Amino acid sequence: MIDLARAVGLEIIFHESTECAIVDLFRNRQQILEREKLVDRNQYYPLLSYLEALPPTYKISNETILKRVDGDGSLFQSPSATASAYLSTGHKACLAYLQSLASNCASNGIPSIYLVDEKLAKLSLVYQLVRLGLTEYFDREKDDILAQIYSFCWFLDREEVRDHIEKHYEYFSSVLLNVYRASNLMLSDEQQLERARTFSRKLLEKILSGETRDECIISSSHRRMIEHELGLPWMARLDHLEHRMWLEEKDACVLWMGKLSWHRSSLVQNQDILQLALQDFVLRQSAYRMELDVVKGWSETTGLSKMEFCREKTTYSYFAVSTSISLPCNSDMREVVAKSAIIVTVADDFFDMEGSLEDLEKLTNAVQRWDGEGLSGHAETIFKALVDLVTDFRAKCFKQSGKDIKKNLQDIWSETFHSWLMEAKWSRSGGAPTMQEYLDVGMTSIATHILVLPSSCLASPTTPLHQLWSSPYQPITKLLMVITRLLNDIQSYQKEEKQGKLNFVLLYLKENPQASIEDSINFVQHLLDQLKKEFLQHVLEEPCSLPKPSRRLHLGCLKVFHMFFNSSNRYDSDMDMFHDIQKALVVPPRVPKLKSPMPLPEQPRPKPRVSVTKDLSGQFRLGRFPRKSFVGCQMPSHSGPANRWEKMYKLSSFKLCFA
């Protein structure tokens, strides 16, 4: 505007401080113009997209402008650039585009940046829903949108594009970060994605190293996201804590929007969605605390928490189950998996440290007979707790799905106790099985199949039992069992070497005398990388004989073990998980200030429901709200299956949590 005024002889007088800012503005613009070409075919938004801001000294032919006008009549979908193009060329298509904008945006005025295309708007919304943990309420819509996205990593095959990205890597930090995130789901033989991961990580590390030439380009929030992505493997993250992190990160959902690089789309930064995510998170915390109390009470009643010889991991077990992966709330499922994990921990310690070989054989035989006659002491306590768990879970499963899984449960526990007995005999006799013999037993003794197979019956109640729980186990279950055993062994070999226990890392050294401990760890790590890619193939493949909820349970279990054994043995630590547990179950998220909730319409007040509200001191309290209200958002006036908000307050999860 200043250029245009001066061009027609208008004198503009600014305040002295403003004049300095104007001089800096023109100087910066000139530096950009000298550095960049007018139309750079490698630059996603060339300078021509800023036509309205280019100075009169830039002589641009109408032919050059018209070559870049899109089919809809816009110049890079920018209203301001298109207006400038129309003034210069008089092109009727540009006028039609502007008239269409004026008609569509009459009430609020034409936006100052180019309009985002529909696919990007939808993808941005999915991005935020996933990050905030809300996709279970919009699962079908999410899948429909993502099914439209196919192309990826094309830039790796064009040397000039790669060179341009490497030269201006700061400007592509968001793209590089999302490419690196996508490579977390890399499958076997995806060489292009492997190259993309290496390429993006190299440049992201360069950004973190302080080599960035313009610190203003990389915000502190964006830098934290890069550090988080590179510092903690995706497999080692718990979904519930990830959702909290994104709730608390005020710039987490900022996307590159072209001419205003840190602009927030109204869809992306939607206050109602944040309100919904916050309320959903706090409701989950309340539900989790209630369920943890139930699990603690069971652990005390059965006597499992009172055994001094073993690790007391009641809270750890429940925390891991409840926060690992976003599945629709199922209180029964979380409780049975947590109780199973507690029994596994206590029984494993009993076989490792406390019981005599005679006691261990008696307990194993009792489990195989499913008869505790002759047991006493700790062995009797463990067996009674196991019978209580199986009896209770069998009844719940039969009530929900009509499946009687008594024999399945007895067989799977019998198999696991037998594997613990085998390992105890090896350790106490000094025997050394081969690596394969050890792994055949060790993949059972890690007991992950006990966690995922029974719970799959609750997660997929309509799926036939033989499909969920086949014999022999399905490949995805076998892979889970092997991977979790190796993850445990790679972080526990030092402790187990002192205890005289067997370990895959140590057995590799025995079978390869010339190898060092580093060689053994590298061998196991390489094996893990290959097995995890194969595992992901089974998790993601469609169609698949195993239903999606069961596959996601397998993935959640693997993420838990990855979290516990990522860089150390966190499961054996007494305090290492304290802060994570507090953030997951107790402390409300510190969310940037939200707008006041929209007023709710007057509705009939049938049976009251439970909500979480803040009192005057800022503390969250359980309260009541009418059926038609939810998270402070106005309910849509229409009804029917398309009304996703209607689905929110009908969730069986919250009925279970607050019954």
Side-chain angles (χ1 to χ4, degrees), residues 413-628:
W413 280 104
S414 175
E415 177 187 42
T416 305
F417 272 79
H418 184 264
S419 69
W420 289 331
L421 180 61
M422 284 293 298
E423 290 184 340
K425 288 181 176 179
W426 282 337
S427 297
R428 300 183 189 200
S429 68
T434 65
M435 292 169 61
Q436 187 59 56
E437 289 173 337
Y438 168 78
L439 201 55
D440 289 340
V441 173
M443 64 184 283
T444 301
S445 66
I446 199 66
T448 47
H449 59 318
I450 279 181
L451 306 180
V452 296
L453 293 181
S455 55
S456 292
C457 297
L458 291 179
S460 303
T462 60
T463 305
L465 182 58
H466 69 271
Q467 188 174 333
L468 293 171
W469 201 328
S470 60
S471 181
Y473 300 132
Q474 294 208 29
I476 187 174
T477 305
K478 290 182 178 179
L479 284 166
L480 174 67
M481 296 162 72
V482 172
I483 293 170
T484 49
R485 166 49 65 195
L486 295 179
L487 284 171
N488 180 293
D489 283 14
I490 206 170
Q491 296 297 342
S492 304
Y493 71 90
Q494 292 174 316
K495 180 191 77 171
E496 291 176 343
E497 185 177 27
K498 294 177 182 178
Q499 295 175 345
K501 292 182 59 181
L502 296 175
N503 183 288
F504 192 82
V505 174
L506 302 175
L507 286 174
Y508 179 86
L509 290 177
K510 187 174 183 66
E511 294 188 12
N512 298 271
Q514 303 303 318
S516 64
I517 190 65
E518 290 78 15
D519 294 331
S520 181
I521 293 173
N522 289 336
F523 171 80
V524 177
Q525 193 62 61
H526 178 73
L527 181 58
L528 276 170
D529 291 341
Q530 298 302 312
L531 292 174
K532 283 186 285 187
K533 291 177 183 178
E534 188 177 347
F535 174 83
L536 278 177
Q537 181 81 50
H538 289 284
V539 171
L540 301 174
E541 68 180 356
E542 296 287 357
C544 181
S545 58
L546 204 61
K548 189 174 181 179
S550 179
R551 284 178 280 150
R552 294 193 65 192
L553 281 172
H554 282 71
L555 176 60
C557 186
L558 179 54
K559 293 182 76 173
V560 165
F561 273 77
H562 232 299
M563 178 271 298
F564 280 134
F565 302 108
N566 177 45
S567 57
S568 62
N569 187 340
R570 300 182 76 189
Y571 192 70
D572 284 351
S573 169
D574 290 331
M575 294 299 296
D576 205 17
M577 303 298 301
F578 176 78
H579 292 296
D580 284 345
I581 292 172
Q582 289 290 305
K583 288 192 293 185
L585 306 180
V586 181
V587 182
R590 296 178 177 86
V591 181
K593 186 176 181 181
L594 300 175
K595 69 178 183 181
S596 299
M598 290 183 288
L600 296 171
E602 289 296 326
Q603 297 286 349
R605 292 178 175 263
K607 182 179 178 180
R609 310 281 292 168
V610 177
S611 70
V612 177
T613 57
K614 276 188 176 181
D615 60 19
L616 293 178
S617 66
Q619 297 298 312
F620 282 86
R621 305 292 184 197
L622 285 176
R624 299 297 229 180
F625 61 89
R627 182 176 182 272
K628 282 287 184 180

Side-chain angles (χ1 to χ4, degrees), residues 364-371 383 386-387 389-391 393-394 404-418 449-450 454 469 473:
T364 302
N365 291 333
V367 174
Q368 290 175 339
R369 300 190 318 268
W370 209 250
D371 182 353
F383 182 77
L386 177 58
V387 171
L389 172 65
V390 168
T391 302
F393 181 59
R394 177 194 177 197
D404 188 351
I405 60 171
K406 177 182 179 181
K407 187 176 187 308
N408 301 74
L409 291 170
Q410 291 177 356
D411 288 347
I412 201 173
W413 280 104
S414 175
E415 177 187 42
T416 305
F417 272 79
H418 184 264
H449 59 318
I450 279 181
W469 201 328
Y473 300 132

Side-chain angles (χ1 to χ4, degrees), residues 39 201 212 254 263 582 656:
V39 179
R201 184 178 183 96
T212 304
V254 173
H263 178 77
Q582 289 290 305
L656 281 172

